[in-house]
Amino acid sequence: MRKLIVLALVIFCGSLGWELSKAMSPGDSGDRDALANYDRTIQSDTKNSIAYNNRGVLKRDKLNDTPGALADFDRAIQINPKHAEAYSNRGNLKITKLNDVSGALADFNRAIQVNPNYDTAYYNLALLKDGYLHDTPGSLADYDRAIQINPKNADAYNNRGSLKHVKLKDFQGALADYNHAIALNPKSVSAYNNRGLLKQDRLNDSQGALADYNYALTLDPKFIQVYLNRGNLKQDKLNDPQGALADYNYALTIGPTCARAYLERSYLKENKLNDSQGALVDYNLAIVFDPTKADAHRMRGYLKYVKFGDRSGGIEDVRQAIKLAREQGNSDTLQLCLKILQSWGSSE
């Protein structure tokens, strides 16, 4: 038995000041030219906090220069302690590149303190609270505030829909948010993916889900999550195991180290294609590429025990799944693993 959900959130947002258009106009030849333009602007005006902020965004998002980006955001804030965008951008850097949750939290809060009507800071704060602090009510309140400030923030609607879908079990509310996100941004691949998953997982609308996945792939043919979700739909609801296999295979051509894709394909091979050996190979690869996946250890353990008669290997895998589930606070997987061991006459 598996319970795998692949949602697509729109991740942390960065903000650029009004002078960005000068440094990154359509005539620029590339990121290095933009960097040179920012350098010249800063050389001629060493107190230009906007230029420091924008150069920090460029270094963070395009040049993979984390120390340089941090120094630029720090300098922008030193010049202008009320530069809300620089606080938000620094918070983005801290959470996405430096794994500094408390530092990011402080920066997002400071951005809001400086500018209480800054929707991007509320949006980033909501993501942080949901993904790192497990504060669902706080995350919902921040998405609500971001949308109140900027009713055209399609990403906030999409992510709030995901929160309602997964954490709050408010499926109609989630559907309304996904619909609104798509109305605001008809090219939002993540919103189509998420709406498709909601239709598949909770609304019993398989054809509607398939239509959403198919359209999402016309927008972005390389979006791995959509292939995984469509493969699951074909496997679980449409009785199309070969179609599911094709989706998982294609996902792995896009991302050959995608542990989730190996895990999905292994379940298909084990349960629909009668290929236990192939399933074992895929479970092994899923664990190689992500040893922290409790479900992969659990499912491989079950396969070893039931199909290969490897009692000790199966129990060892399920015990590892229990350890990981406890560390990750995954109560559903933990309880399932405990029941499996009990049914095998074993314990932790």
Side-chain angles (χ1 to χ4, degrees):
M1 177 182 179
R2 88 194 195 289
K3 184 63 175 177
L4 304 174
I5 293 178
V6 187
L7 281 171
L9 293 179
V10 183
I11 58 174
F12 294 90
C13 288
S15 301
L16 297 157
W18 61 269
E19 289 191 359
L20 177 63
S21 59
K22 292 183 182 179
M24 296 185 70
S25 65
D28 291 333
S29 61
D31 299 327
R32 290 293 171 182
D33 287 340
L35 180 64
N37 286 344
Y38 285 134
D39 290 345
R40 285 192 291 270
T41 299
I42 289 168
Q43 286 171 2
S44 64
D45 181 3
T46 59
K47 299 292 186 180
N48 190 328
S49 66
I50 293 174
Y52 277 104
N53 173 69
N54 290 354
R55 190 174 71 175
V57 172
L58 179 69
K59 290 177 179 179
R60 181 194 65 199
D61 296 346
K62 299 292 186 179
L63 302 179
N64 197 29
D65 179 7
T66 297
L70 182 61
D72 278 347
F73 295 140
D74 287 345
R75 181 62 179 142
I77 290 166
Q78 183 182 35
I79 294 167
N80 179 9
K82 294 186 177 181
H83 198 314
E85 291 84 355
Y87 283 110
S88 185
N89 285 329
R90 190 174 70 177
N92 177 319
L93 180 76
K94 288 178 179 178
I95 194 61
T96 59
K97 304 289 187 178
L98 301 175
N99 197 31
D100 180 4
V101 176
S102 60
L105 179 64
D107 276 346
F108 294 146
N109 282 329
R110 179 60 179 154
I112 290 168
Q113 184 180 14
V114 169
N115 181 1
N117 292 315
Y118 186 31
D119 65 301
T120 298
Y122 282 103
Y123 172 90
N124 285 341
L125 188 58
L127 272 170
L128 182 73
K129 288 179 179 178
D130 180 27
Y132 293 87
L133 303 180
H134 309 295
D135 177 8
T136 299
S139 179
L140 179 64
D142 287 333
Y143 281 133
D144 288 347
R145 180 61 178 144
I147 289 167
Q148 181 184 31
I149 295 168
N150 180 7
K152 294 185 178 181
N153 189 332
D155 294 341
Y157 278 104
N158 179 55
N159 287 3
R160 189 176 70 174
S162 298
L163 189 72
K164 291 176 179 179
H165 179 176
V166 177
K167 301 291 180 64
L168 298 172
K169 311 301 180 188
D170 175 9
F171 306 127
Q172 291 303 319
L175 180 62
D177 275 348
Y178 293 147
N179 288 342
H180 207 120
I182 289 167
L184 289 169
N185 180 10
K187 294 185 178 181
S188 175
V189 181
S190 60
Y192 278 105
N193 174 75
N194 292 347
R195 189 174 71 176
L197 184 59
L198 177 69
K199 291 175 179 179
Q200 169 186 346
D201 187 47
R202 296 297 182 177
L203 301 182
N204 196 30
D205 181 7
S206 296
Q207 292 304 317
L210 183 63
D212 277 345
Y213 295 145
N214 289 342
Y215 189 73
L217 291 174
T218 68
L219 297 172
D220 184 354
K222 301 285 187 183
F223 205 97
I224 289 180
Q225 291 97 322
V226 182
Y227 286 102
L228 298 183
N229 285 337
R230 191 175 69 174
N232 291 349
L233 177 70
K234 291 175 179 178
Q235 178 179 179
D236 298 336
K237 301 290 181 69
L238 300 179
N239 193 29
D240 181 11
Q242 291 302 322
L245 181 63
D247 277 343
Y248 300 147
N249 288 343
Y250 194 78
L252 285 166
T253 67
I254 300 169
T257 63
C258 178
R260 176 65 70 185
Y262 286 108
L263 189 55
E264 301 283 15
R265 192 174 70 175
S266 59
Y267 184 87
L268 174 71
K269 289 179 177 179
E270 177 185 355
N271 293 280
K272 299 295 176 69
L273 301 179
N274 196 29
D275 180 9
S276 297
Q277 191 61 51
L280 182 60
V281 170
D282 277 350
Y283 284 133
N284 290 341
L285 287 169
I287 290 169
V288 165
F289 292 122
D290 188 354
T292 68
K293 282 197 177 299
D295 280 328
H297 290 277
R298 169 182 63 81
M299 294 160 73
R300 186 177 71 174
Y302 190 86
L303 177 71
K304 286 179 178 179
Y305 190 101
V306 174
K307 297 292 178 69
F308 291 98
D310 181 3
R311 176 179 170 83
S312 61
I315 290 173
E316 180 183 357
D317 266 348
V318 175
R319 285 175 175 164
Q320 177 64 14
I322 289 172
K323 177 177 179 292
L324 291 169
R326 280 211 172 96
E327 291 172 355
Q328 297 161 6
N330 187 340
S331 59
D332 289 343
T333 295
L334 175 61
Q335 292 305 314
L336 184 55
C337 289
L338 291 172
K339 288 179 181 178
I340 289 172
L341 285 187
Q342 184 180 28
S343 72
W344 293 347
S346 185
S347 61
E348 295 181 63

